[in-house]
Amino acid sequence: MGLLSIIRKIKRKEKEMRILMVGLDNSGKTTIVLKINGEDTSVISPTLGFNIKTIKYHKYSLNIWDVGGQKTIRSYWRNYFEQTDGLVWVVDSSDIRRLDDCCAELHNLLKEERLAGASLLVFANKQDIRGALKPSEIAKVLNLEAMDGSRHWQIVGCSAHTGDGLLQGFDWLVQDIASRIYVLE
Amino acid sequence: PPSPPPPPPAAPRKPRALLVRLSRRGAAAPSLETPDASPVAAFLSRFAAAKLAAESALSACSRSSPEEDAQRSLSGAAAAIDDLDRLAAEASHLLPPYELRSALAAVSDLRAAHRLAASELRPKKSFSFRNKSKAPKNLPQDPPTLPPPPPPPEQPNPAVEAILPGLGFRGREGAILVKDLRASDEKDGDFTLADLVSCQVYLKGKYRALYIHRLRDCRVFVGAVFGSVLIEDVERCTFVMAAHQIRIHEARATDFYLRVRSRPIIEDCSGVRFAPHALNYKGIEEDLRDAGLEDDTGNWANVDDFKWLRAVQSPNWCLVPEEERLQTIDISDVLE
């Protein structure tokens, strides 16, 4: 038995899921992770590198990799692609000027073969801000409809500030991954 | 007779220092090392070797005379640097912060050297690799050949174009711009400052988020931001503000007087200076308190430079010397 299949088996037993959180800097990735884990979100420095959190979510154990989004470190995202079950792309819905940038980075990511099987959750974050675009508008700008039909994806409006929408998003993601990788149980 | 120990590998100064440190580590007392020391040591030696390969490929391009050879060395060097990059990234989990930072810095230095070599090799080409990339300051400038070509025409994303801009001041010159969110019913919204030249900007009240883009010779005073501030492309400006998070990109010759809950960060900046918050207006205490900014954490001085991941002080920023700092500015009388 190869190492990979052993790892897969262990993973299945513990019902582990590996979730990769990416997106431009200032989109709220770390705030989302801390909020969903019930931690204090009032003092968060921009992420220099990455954070890992293991969160129990229903009967699953989510390994969440929250990788910094500053331009300088975006080239390191690819080192976290391996074995990713779910991809969370976080968008600052009120940063209209950089939506083009955001769109380009997302589509770059989706070309990546190692992420081909991962479910994609797009969080249209900062919905509590007055000028924020609605999830439907974000979906249009990011051209999500154009995605290959083989990709499981969903866009959810949320606010890491208030917590609205976070559970709805993770519920979808976890269900979707579970239905793909634990289908035989 | 036993042969003498082999001479140390002929390597440029820096890698040799690494190798020496490595061999000492190994020789000293391996049993005393922490268990994860050996993967780190293994990484350092692999990294030193790969770095050597990249450096020699780079120096080969400058020596090769026929252009094809030089081109080949150049792409060899690019591949070697990519290898180095990957090596560093793959080891990022196990490396202590300092080693990771120095590895990343080494990679970025090599990239800069590679860009320079590439530009020297084909100065006549009518395209530039990246409009935004700047050659390191201390490197000789290219002869004044062609001015940089205009950026490729941007393909406007129709979906983005259709979006109405939110609250903000945009495209003004030599103006005094005042906004008091307490007086309007747009409470707690976000705000944008974009394309301003020689303006004085006064923002009173609490803001959920602040976006600042392309300012020249401006002075900006902001009450309280209870979310994040994103500043991009500013030159010869002064900012006085309090916020939860502050990110600064592409700022030059600009002073920041901050109160900030988390560590401010800079990226692609030069000549930026930091000092403590110095702003007053009637009611600012209340705004700061409501925004959770009543205490000064001292983080205004704990700046992270994403372009300088080393233990020594970044050359891109410093503190404003105390004798040069602005006195607390009272903007109570500035009205909309």
Side-chain angles (χ1 to χ4, degrees):
Chain A
M1 189 185 288
L3 181 60
L4 192 61
S5 49
I6 294 174
I7 292 171
R8 284 214 178 104
K9 205 165 182 185
I10 292 170
K11 201 166 157 179
R12 199 169 303 139
K13 206 153 89 198
E14 295 178 353
K15 294 202 185 293
E16 257 186 36
M17 293 179 181
R18 184 174 153 132
I19 314 278
L20 177 64
M21 304 259 305
V22 276
L24 300 192
D25 51 301
N26 198 36
S27 56
K29 299 175 288 295
T30 307
T31 310
I32 288 177
V33 176
L34 294 187
K35 190 78 181 183
I36 206 161
N37 205 28
E39 292 177 57
D40 176 29
T41 58
S42 67
V43 184
I44 299 174
S45 292
T47 306
L48 186 64
F50 61 92
N51 308 304
I52 310 169
K53 279 251 177 281
T54 301
I55 296 178
K56 286 274 171 231
Y57 199 89
H58 303 310
K59 54 184 176 174
Y60 301 102
S61 164
L62 309 186
N63 278 323
I64 303 186
W65 293 68
D66 157 31
V67 190
Q70 296 296 142
K71 204 182 266 175
T72 312
I73 53 178
R74 285 180 208 160
S75 55
Y76 296 95
W77 286 352
R78 57 193 152 89
N79 303 300
Y80 302 88
F81 290 167
E82 221 63 64
Q83 301 280 310
T84 295
D85 300 308
L87 187 63
V88 181
W89 181 259
V90 185
V91 182
D92 175 351
S93 310
S94 66
D95 187 1
I96 293 160
R97 187 177 62 82
R98 296 201 301 167
L99 279 179
D100 275 339
D101 227 8
C102 174
C103 177
E105 292 283 5
L106 172 62
H107 286 278
N108 254 337
L109 201 67
L110 296 179
K111 277 185 223 147
E112 177 59 45
E113 212 171 307
R114 284 173 291 166
L115 294 174
S119 310
L120 170 67
L121 168 65
V122 177
F123 263 139
N125 192 23
K126 308 201 188 180
Q127 288 296 317
D128 60 299
I129 296 186
R130 282 177 154 262
L133 297 192
K134 300 277 165 294
S136 57
E137 294 170 295
I138 297 282
K140 206 162 126 196
V141 175
L142 296 185
N143 204 10
L144 296 179
E145 297 292 347
M147 234 180 309
D148 182 346
S150 64
R151 167 90 59 191
H152 293 201
W153 67 274
Q154 180 72 264
I155 182 164
V156 175
C158 72
S159 163
H161 189 62
T162 63
D164 289 344
L166 296 183
L167 290 180
Q168 188 198 337
F170 274 95
D171 276 344
W172 174 82
L173 186 66
V174 168
Q175 298 273 316
D176 189 74
I177 296 170
S179 67
R180 276 191 300 113
I181 65 179
Y182 303 123
V183 67
L184 296 175
E185 288 169 60
Chain B
S3 56
R13 200 162 40 83
K14 232 167 156 187
R16 184 188 290 161
L18 259 179
L19 291 173
V20 166
R21 212 173 73 210
L22 275 174
S23 61
R24 263 200 222 119
R25 262 193 181 187
S31 59
L32 289 180
E33 297 283 346
T34 50
D36 60 354
S38 65
V40 174
F43 163 78
L44 288 176
S45 75
R46 280 179 69 197
F47 189 83
K51 182 160 176 261
L52 199 58
E55 283 168 345
S56 59
L58 261 183
S59 63
C61 350
S62 56
R63 283 198 312 271
S64 322
S65 49
E67 197 175 329
E68 290 149 35
D69 282 3
Q71 290 290 2
R72 204 172 312 124
S73 318
L74 197 64
S75 55
I81 295 169
D82 285 344
D83 281 350
L84 210 55
D85 208 347
R86 199 171 48 244
L87 210 58
E90 281 168 2
S92 60
H93 314 262
L94 58 92
L95 287 182
Y98 177 73
E99 271 74 9
L100 181 57
R101 286 171 181 212
S102 16
L104 295 182
V107 173
S108 93
D109 288 351
L110 279 169
R111 285 231 187 272
H114 177 263
R115 269 202 300 279
L116 187 77
S119 69
E120 275 169 358
L121 202 54
R122 32 193 154 169
K124 294 278 152 57
K125 287 275 166 72
S126 61
F127 64 87
S128 70
F129 290 93
R130 245 171 259 148
N131 289 321
K132 279 184 186 161
S133 74
K134 288 165 220 97
K137 259 183 280 167
N138 52 350
L139 292 168
Q141 289 296 306
D142 284 348
T145 47
L146 296 168
E154 281 177 20
Q155 292 166 339
N157 182 334
V160 175
E161 297 265 291
I163 295 162
L164 291 171
L167 270 188
F169 295 127
R170 299 174 174 84
R172 302 289 295 272
E173 190 167 348
I176 293 178
L177 306 166
V178 186
K179 183 78 194 175
D180 192 339
L181 276 201
R182 298 170 302 177
S184 64
D185 54 354
E186 295 128 344
K187 274 200 170 50
D188 305 343
D190 61 323
F191 205 84
T192 298
L193 303 176
D195 300 295
L196 304 180
V197 179
S198 306
C199 290
Q200 309 246 19
V201 184
Y202 302 92
L203 304 180
K204 297 185 193 178
K206 300 197 305 291
Y207 295 77
R208 170 70 177 83
L210 186 60
Y211 300 93
I212 296 176
H213 184 227
R214 268 207 305 257
L215 265 54
R216 300 288 179 269
D217 303 293
C218 290
R219 311 228 305 162
V220 178
F221 304 93
V222 184
V225 181
F226 61 103
S228 64
V229 179
L230 180 64
I231 299 174
E232 224 168 88
D233 190 6
V234 296
E235 203 166 330
R236 298 178 306 277
C237 295
T238 301
F239 292 91
V240 183
M241 53 175 61
H244 280 218
Q245 279 193 333
I246 298 181
R247 292 175 175 81
I248 302 164
H249 304 158
E250 296 165 51
R252 296 162 296 277
T254 290
D255 289 348
F256 296 90
Y257 290 76
L258 306 179
R259 174 179 294 178
V260 54
R261 290 191 68 132
S262 58
R263 299 168 70 95
I265 74 113
I266 62 172
E267 189 175 42
D268 301 310
C269 290
S270 61
V272 295
R273 307 193 301 173
F274 292 84
H277 187 248
L279 182 66
N280 196 22
Y281 58 80
K282 202 160 171 290
I284 193 173
E285 293 304 329
E286 202 182 334
D287 286 339
L288 290 173
R289 195 181 58 240
D290 291 352
L293 289 162
E294 63 272 47
D295 299 319
D296 184 4
T297 59
N299 265 339
W300 60 269
N302 297 326
V303 179
D304 282 326
D305 182 354
F306 275 64
K307 283 286 170 157
W308 190 262
L309 303 174
R310 302 177 203 205
V312 293
Q313 169 66 32
S314 156
N316 301 320
W317 70 274
C318 63
L319 303 184
V320 183
E322 270 184 55
E323 63 276 14
E324 280 183 45
R325 285 180 195 166
L326 294 178
Q327 299 292 309
T328 296
I329 295 151
D330 197 307
I331 59 169
S332 300
D333 297 335
V334 184
L335 301 171
E336 271 186 78

